[in-house]
Amino acid sequence: MVCPPAGPMGTGLGLPIVVDRQQLEPGDRLLLYTDRIADARDAAGERFGPDKFVDFIVRHHSDRQTLHETLRLLTHAALDHHCGRLNDDATVLLTEWRAGHQHRLVP
């Protein structure tokens, strides 16, 4: 069965679908997230924002944190920025190509 490319399920936005292919290599990480993570706002209304989000990921990736620790720190940072409570869904999926080093997946 062939499954053509489609937009996010349930959105019905009618946006054009763009297919992009990237060659991943062993050690590469792929991060998928919903907008609520970057859109989290503090008590003053300031967004966590994409720049802070990307900076956070780059800093913790360069520290060679485990996937588990990076996700834990990211979710706590977003929650802390949003006064400990999100008013919408917030999903993050971080995966890494371990290339034969699966025994190191769990710290």
Side-chain angles (χ1 to χ4, degrees):
M1 173 179 248
V2 175
C3 181
M9 191 168 62
T11 60
L13 298 175
L15 298 173
I17 305 300
V18 178
V19 176
D20 185 25
R21 291 180 176 23
Q22 298 292 322
Q23 180 62 48
L24 300 177
E25 301 292 334
D28 285 349
R29 291 179 172 181
L30 179 63
L31 177 68
L32 306 171
Y33 62 95
T34 59
D35 62 345
R36 187 54 53 200
I37 296 293
D39 286 344
R41 295 182 185 272
D42 63 13
E46 182 183 334
R47 288 179 58 214
F48 191 74
D51 291 338
K52 189 172 186 175
F53 178 82
V54 169
D55 180 62
F56 182 94
I57 295 299
V58 168
R59 278 187 291 115
H60 287 86
H61 178 73
S62 65
D63 289 345
R64 299 303 303 161
Q65 299 284 346
T66 64
L67 296 178
H68 301 91
E69 186 64 7
T70 300
L71 281 178
R72 187 186 72 76
L73 293 170
L74 174 62
T75 54
H76 280 284
L79 277 170
D80 289 348
H81 187 83
H82 204 284
C83 304
R85 190 173 169 170
L86 298 174
N87 60 2
D88 198 355
D89 73 304
T91 303
V92 179
L93 172 67
L94 177 60
T95 188
E96 180 177 19
W97 183 353
R98 295 305 301 234
H101 302 284
Q102 292 82 354
H103 62 282
R104 291 193 261 164
L105 284 175
V106 179

